[in-house]
Amino acid sequence: MQTLLIKNMENKLFISFQRGYLKMEGVPLSDDIVLFDSFDGSKKAKFFSLSEWRALDYKDIPFPPLEEKYKFPEHLFLTFKKKQKNIDFHYLEYGSDVKILSADFFNFLLENGLNKNQFELADIQIVDVDGNSLTEKKHVALRFGLFDDNLFDFNKQTSIRTKANGSTNYLFPDIKLRDGGARKVFVLKNFAYRASIIFSRQSVISEILKTFKGIDIYSIEDFPFVYSNQYDEEILPLNNHLKK
């Protein structure tokens, strides 16, 4: 019985979820940061972008993109609109299918099966509005263009219809991983799950919580409730009992 319980825990699915408008120590608010690919200290607007990487839509363009203007830049500047006293984060969801990770957390995900063919990679320099470096810690940005939805059963019969921030989405508390092999890290294209990372083992979650500060993780079963109430701090405060 105990062996079966341990096995079931290891087969559980977990999901990262970031409420980027809520302040956490060392973690920038999502509205306070911008990614640029160019810097010129002599200009009034010192940061700018030369490429159109934000406009990429993979419905009509192959991944990785062939046109130079749509390719993800190899180097990016993460700039802060406001002063940031300290910077100490391992994971940010940026939008445009971009995830910003510390080098340590990125390497951890690779060790646990993150598929290198699914994303483009840029190194990041974290700077203030004048271009001054704000941290010596290394970070990277990943832009995803391939996803793992085909590896999962979503069980639409038990789906939950939810509306958050004006958008209606369906969430699936009974998602099951068909066969991920040795992989323990996945990304999904399904809208409500797109700004997240899926993990398939309790042991992976235990290591994340022990090693990497400020990454909020929930069980896949609890996620519909969390997603639906993400903007209601009375129902779901930042520090809530559903967090792992």
Side-chain angles (χ1 to χ4, degrees), residues 20-220:
Y21 71 98
L22 296 178
K23 183 62 179 173
M24 295 176 62
E25 184 179 356
V27 181
L29 298 175
S30 55
D31 288 341
D32 288 348
I33 55 174
V34 185
L35 282 173
F36 294 100
D37 57 46
S38 303
F39 172 79
D40 187 338
S42 66
K43 293 184 177 182
K44 185 176 181 180
K46 296 179 174 63
F47 295 94
F48 52 97
S49 288
L50 293 173
S51 68
E52 299 177 37
W53 64 266
R54 289 182 181 86
L56 180 63
D57 186 347
Y58 288 125
K59 292 178 182 176
D60 305 312
I61 298 174
F63 175 83
L66 300 177
E67 290 186 76
E68 195 66 34
K69 65 179 181 178
Y70 290 130
K71 291 181 179 180
F72 199 47
E74 294 182 356
H75 181 80
L76 290 166
F77 297 92
L78 180 66
T79 63
F80 286 78
K81 299 177 185 178
K82 300 178 181 179
K83 288 186 178 180
Q84 182 79 17
K85 291 183 179 179
N86 66 317
I87 296 170
D88 184 17
F89 69 88
H90 291 284
Y91 170 42
L92 290 176
E93 286 286 345
Y94 182 76
S96 301
D97 290 318
V98 174
K99 302 180 190 300
I100 299 173
L101 311 173
S102 69
D104 290 339
F105 189 50
F106 175 52
N107 288 329
F108 174 84
L109 296 182
L110 289 177
E111 290 169 2
N112 284 281
L114 180 65
N115 187 346
K116 291 182 179 180
N117 296 319
Q118 291 180 279
F119 58 83
E120 298 163 278
L121 174 68
D123 65 78
I124 286 184
Q125 186 176 348
I126 298 179
V127 295
D128 63 17
V129 292
D130 295 315
N132 301 309
S133 181
L134 296 176
T135 179
E136 294 182 358
K137 294 181 179 179
K138 293 184 178 180
H139 293 79
V140 296
L142 314 183
R143 180 173 70 170
F144 285 85
L146 298 176
F147 302 87
D148 298 308
D149 300 59
N150 63 312
L151 297 178
F152 292 83
D153 286 322
F154 287 86
N155 195 1
K156 295 181 179 180
Q157 293 181 344
T158 58
S159 64
I160 297 172
R161 185 175 182 269
T162 185
K163 192 168 186 176
N165 201 23
S167 299
T168 299
N169 292 289
Y170 288 87
L171 294 108
F172 309 94
D174 298 325
I175 295 177
K176 296 291 188 295
L177 178 63
R178 291 181 188 141
D179 184 8
R183 291 180 59 190
K184 305 166 192 172
V185 177
F186 308 88
V187 290
L188 300 180
K189 190 175 184 179
N190 186 289
F191 182 80
Y193 298 86
R194 200 160 182 164
S196 298
I197 302 172
I198 305 295
F199 303 95
S200 68
R201 302 287 176 84
Q202 175 69 49
S203 55
V204 173
I205 300 308
S206 298
E207 186 64 28
I208 290 173
L209 297 179
K210 182 177 72 173
T211 309
F212 302 103
K213 177 184 175 183
I215 300 178
D216 293 344
I217 296 175
Y218 299 89
S219 72
I220 211 77

Side-chain angles (χ1 to χ4, degrees), residues 17 162 164 169 171 191-192 222-231:
F17 188 62
T162 185
N169 292 289
L171 294 108
F191 182 80
D222 290 334
F223 183 62
F225 178 83
V226 174
Y227 185 88
S228 300
N229 296 286
Q230 60 182 290
Y231 298 105

